[in-house]
């Protein structure tokens, strides 16, 4: 490991217990900053309501840390929107945000558009499929941004159990993202959960970043933030254990391919001859090929969007 990364691990890796809530609140009042929490959601009626309820109770009603909770629904066919609204979130449909640019499927697309419908100086992203959710996920990653003015982006780190086995979750992280980062961006080798969906950042940083529309958004954001603000502006906080729904092997293969494509674009800004992935499923006549596009469309920095600029002027 690079000496720089070892130093970073000792100075920019914390535990949620390192910043008591009263200190975070005092820093928030002193700096006059606001906090938005965004949940990107697609068919998450089983979990989204509980997450919203915990954040509202712990961090809005008990203490005034979070100023708004926004659930951005990216086309759910279940009761995600109704459940989220009933729990107290403001629900916005992805397609209603910036309608002049047709939306495409993908988590990164939703996160990018969320910048237009939130107002916080700090934006905190939380996946909507978490189970046994703790508000430490929010306060833990927002805390350093309120108490440390030199920090611009904070990722959560945690254990990820799989089928009762501790630490076996995060298969794409271990098989794809971690090797890529260690080989091509070794300064980022200290991140425990580089692909984790729970992170917070200053709006002033997020609005300058391009957003890969799909699964590559977390890796792309880390790499681009490193180049834009440097390693010491990035941090991570241990928030315990993350429990969520796990995807099957083929879905993980498509995720890995999209992440590799995102990395490749940042390595060379070139284009693959064939940006697609063929997988196989057993059908009536044996194994049948299924081919998926893994080309990685990216949205430009939000600061370049006219509607966003005009909102800031207004």
């Amino acid at each position: 490991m690079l000496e720089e990364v070892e130093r970073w691990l000792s100075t920019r890796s914390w535990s949620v217990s390192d910043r008591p809530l009263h200190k975070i609140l005092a820093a928030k009042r002193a700096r006059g900053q606001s906090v938005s929490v965004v949940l990107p959601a697609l068919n998450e009626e089983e979990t989204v309501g509980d997450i919203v309820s915990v954040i509202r109770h712990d961090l809005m009603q008990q203490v005034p840390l979070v100023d708004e909770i926004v659930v951005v629904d990216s086309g759910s066919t279940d009761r995600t929107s109704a459940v989220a609204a009933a729990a107290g979130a403001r629900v916005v449909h992805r397609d209603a945000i910036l309608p002049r640019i047709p939306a495409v499927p993908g988590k990164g697309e939703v996160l990018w558009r969320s910048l237009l419908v939130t107002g916080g100086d700090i934006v905190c992203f939380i996946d909507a499929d978490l189970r046994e959710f703790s508000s430490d996920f929010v306060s833990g990653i927002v805390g350093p941004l309120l108490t440390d003015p030199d920090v611009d982006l904070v990722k959560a780190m945690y254990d990820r159990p799989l089928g009762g086995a501790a630490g076996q979750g995060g298969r794409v992280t271990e098989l794809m993202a971690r090797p890529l980062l260690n080989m091509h961006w070794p300064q980022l080798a200290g991140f425990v959960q580089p692909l984790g969906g729970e992170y917070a950042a200053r709006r002033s940083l997020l609005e300058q970043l391009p957003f890969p529309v799909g699964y590559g958004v977390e890796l792309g954001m880390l790499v681009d933030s490193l180049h834009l603000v440097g390693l010491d502006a990035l941090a991570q906080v241990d928030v315990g254990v993350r429990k969520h729904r796990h995807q099957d092997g083929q879905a993980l293969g498509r995720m890995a391919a999209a992440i590799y494509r995102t990395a490749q674009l940042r390595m060379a800004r070139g284009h693959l001859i064939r940006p697609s992935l063929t997988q196989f499923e057993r059908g009536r006549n044996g194994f049948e090929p299924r081919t998926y596009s893994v080309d990685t469309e990216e949205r430009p920095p939000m600061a370049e969007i006219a509607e966003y600029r005009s909102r800031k002027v207004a």
Side-chain angles (χ1 to χ4, degrees):
M1 184 175 288
L2 295 177
E3 183 177 334
E4 180 183 8
V5 176
E6 292 182 351
R7 179 191 54 76
W8 178 85
L9 281 169
S10 66
T11 61
R12 286 292 186 265
S13 292
W14 298 298
S15 167
V16 66
S17 61
D18 290 335
R19 289 174 180 79
L21 199 51
H22 69 89
K23 290 188 176 181
I24 298 173
L25 291 168
K28 183 176 190 283
R29 287 192 295 268
R31 291 186 166 85
Q33 296 206 301
S34 55
V35 176
S36 299
V37 175
V38 172
L39 278 69
L42 177 63
N43 295 329
E44 303 293 357
E45 67 176 0
E46 293 184 6
T47 51
V48 68
D50 288 341
I51 297 172
V52 171
S53 295
V54 168
I55 296 172
R56 276 187 56 81
H57 176 268
D58 293 359
L59 303 179
M60 297 181 81
Q61 296 169 349
Q62 295 287 97
V63 297
L65 179 63
V66 171
D67 297 282
E68 63 174 348
I69 306 174
V70 179
V71 171
V72 183
D73 191 329
S74 57
S76 298
T77 56
D78 65 1
R79 298 182 59 252
T80 290
S81 290
V83 170
R90 176 162 59 93
V91 179
V92 185
H93 195 281
R94 173 200 64 197
D95 296 347
I97 307 170
L98 200 61
R100 73 171 176 85
I101 300 178
V104 298
K107 178 184 178 183
E109 178 84 354
V110 174
L111 301 184
W112 182 72
R113 290 174 186 263
S114 75
L115 297 181
L116 265 167
V117 293
T118 54
D121 302 299
I122 293 169
V123 182
C124 174
F125 299 118
I126 300 290
D127 281 350
D129 66 342
L130 303 188
R131 302 179 185 279
E132 300 178 28
F133 178 77
S134 166
S135 59
D136 285 348
F137 274 71
V138 175
S139 59
I141 57 180
V142 166
L145 294 163
L146 291 169
T147 61
D148 296 79
D150 295 332
V151 174
D152 288 329
L153 183 148
V154 182
K155 296 214 65 150
M157 56 176 166
Y158 33 68
D159 293 317
R160 294 183 67 180
L162 175 63
Q168 294 303 306
R171 290 162 287 173
V172 175
T173 293
E174 299 304 329
L175 296 175
M176 175 60 71
R178 199 176 308 286
L180 277 172
L181 293 175
N182 274 264
M183 287 186 289
H184 298 288
W185 297 281
Q187 287 177 293
L188 298 174
F191 277 94
V192 175
Q193 297 291 351
L195 301 185
E198 291 70 45
Y199 48 98
R202 300 190 191 281
R203 178 176 295 271
S204 57
L205 171 62
L206 293 171
E207 66 187 13
Q208 297 181 69
L209 298 176
F211 275 63
V213 300
Y215 288 127
V217 63
E218 276 85 21
L219 183 133
M221 189 176 295
L222 262 188
V223 171
D224 293 340
S225 295
L226 174 67
H227 289 301
L228 194 62
V229 296
L231 182 61
D232 282 342
L234 313 181
Q236 60 185 352
V237 173
D238 187 348
V239 297
V241 179
R242 183 186 196 265
K243 297 181 180 181
H244 65 111
R245 183 186 66 252
H246 293 282
Q247 301 195 57
D248 62 36
Q250 292 210 330
L252 294 178
R254 296 191 291 275
M255 183 185 300
I259 289 166
Y260 180 79
R261 174 61 169 164
T262 300
Q264 189 221 26
L265 290 173
R266 278 154 179 76
M267 285 187 274
R269 292 294 170 182
H271 295 279
L272 289 173
I273 296 174
R274 183 177 179 269
S276 58
L277 173 72
T278 298
Q279 297 176 316
F280 293 88
E281 298 176 9
R282 186 181 289 279
R284 290 182 178 180
N285 300 313
F287 285 102
E288 300 173 354
R290 302 283 189 273
T291 299
Y292 302 87
S293 172
V294 295
D295 207 8
T296 309
E297 183 175 354
E298 298 198 8
R299 295 304 189 190
M302 188 57 79
E304 297 177 8
I305 300 298
E307 289 89 338
Y308 186 81
R309 293 199 305 269
S310 64
R311 188 192 76 160
K312 294 188 72 174
V313 170

